[in-house]
Amino acid sequence: MIELVPLARQFQSILPEMLEAITETIESGKYVLGPNVKKLESEISAYLQAAHAIGVGNGTDALVLALDALGIGPGDEVITTPFTFFASAEAISRVGAVPVFADIDPQTYCIDPARIEEKITSATKAIIPVHLFGQSADMDEIMDIADRYDLKVIEDACQAFGAEYKGRRVGSIGHAACFSFFPTKNLGTVGDGGLIVTSDDELARRVRLLRQHGSEKKYHHTILGYNSRLDELHAAILRIALTKIDSWNKNRMILAARYREALKDLPDLTISPERKDRSHIYHLFCVESKQREKLLEQLKLRNIQTSVYYPCPLHLQEAYAHLHYSQGDFPVSERLSAQLFALPMGAFLYEEEQDQVISALRTTKGEGLS
Ligand SMILES: *Cc1c(COP(=O)(O)O)cnc(C)c1O
């Protein structure tokens, strides 16, 4: 079986350091908001060139806390993409605001800046662009719109740790940014974790309050908060992974370039071109095909795992029936929901495995199979 994400190998590669860090953490007696979280926060803020990094429970909470800390709630609208993981919009709804969708660019698969402005109303407070699959959204255009309409921008960078946009790392461009350390993310741990990044001191202070029951001083609560903290054990593991992230991302890029070269002449397959002004760290390697179901079957017959991203755009989700969107509202997202799928990708995918994926795609159905 060739896995979609060969994850265990990634953690195997740092297992001795992980075990040492875990033992040390357990022996230290400090398990919540201790020295590892503090150190990870300062290491990540240095890496991303942002003033503050705040560890929280997971990427979804990172979005919820960022929105809450910005004072966004009932009566407010937040513009985001319908072509993303559900959490990007769910977080908006969780704080009582309304997600307003704008269709995506057919090449980056990220929110199309040209579709944002028409969605702005007097209730709009923020934009959440998602750096989908590991490549930045069009941040200059988005920040420009935000400036003109006095909106906040929260980058959903959950899939793009270390990706660059015009020489800057994503997460340092918007007013705030959110990361997830879910195991399959390119910087992940062996459980849940998340982080908010901002260079706004007051926003950072509010997020720190919110993650800890609105409390700065023990048992004194200035605002209503949450219990959403990054565990020391995960922070200790993430500090090790952080030292590897550039080389892991590099491996992903090398594998992506191999896929591109080997698959470029396949008539049934479209691989969206990379943008020259930004790096793609390939959280996922997705391709488009009108023959998707046939190709998925072909790969499955050869024991190759694939997955469809995303089979149902958010405006057509049952949970959002009350928003009254319908089929045809976002044609680019809807087309890609029917055509896009992910091939195996990961820092620890072997080239021999990748060659098998390539040959399975290059073989017409039935050929060479017994
Ligand atoms: C994974 C992900 C999230 C949520 O992160 P969790 O840590 O799983 O809560 C949010 N947005 C995007 C785009 C994601 O990929």
Side-chain angles (χ1 to χ4, degrees), residues 37-104:
V37 170
K38 232 189 198 98
K39 284 180 194 155
L40 178 74
E41 288 175 344
S42 66
E43 286 157 6
I44 289 184
S45 70
Y47 181 90
L48 297 177
Q49 298 283 296
H52 307 279
I54 303 136
V56 296
N58 54 65
T60 308
D61 280 3
L63 288 162
V64 170
L65 267 63
L67 287 159
D68 190 326
L70 285 166
I72 293 167
D76 297 334
E77 294 175 358
V78 178
I79 298 172
T80 192
T81 158
F83 199 70
T84 174
F85 179 58
F86 188 62
S88 310
E90 187 183 33
I92 299 168
S93 305
R94 266 286 151 243
V95 297
V98 178
V100 173
F101 300 115
D103 210 356
I104 56 171

Side-chain angles (χ1 to χ4, degrees), residues 58-60 63 84-85 87-88 130 156 158-159 180 182 185 192-193:
N58 54 65
T60 308
L63 288 162
T84 174
F85 179 58
S88 310
V130 180
D156 182 338
C158 289
Q159 301 186 359
S180 165
F182 185 79
K185 308 292 165 139
D192 279 306

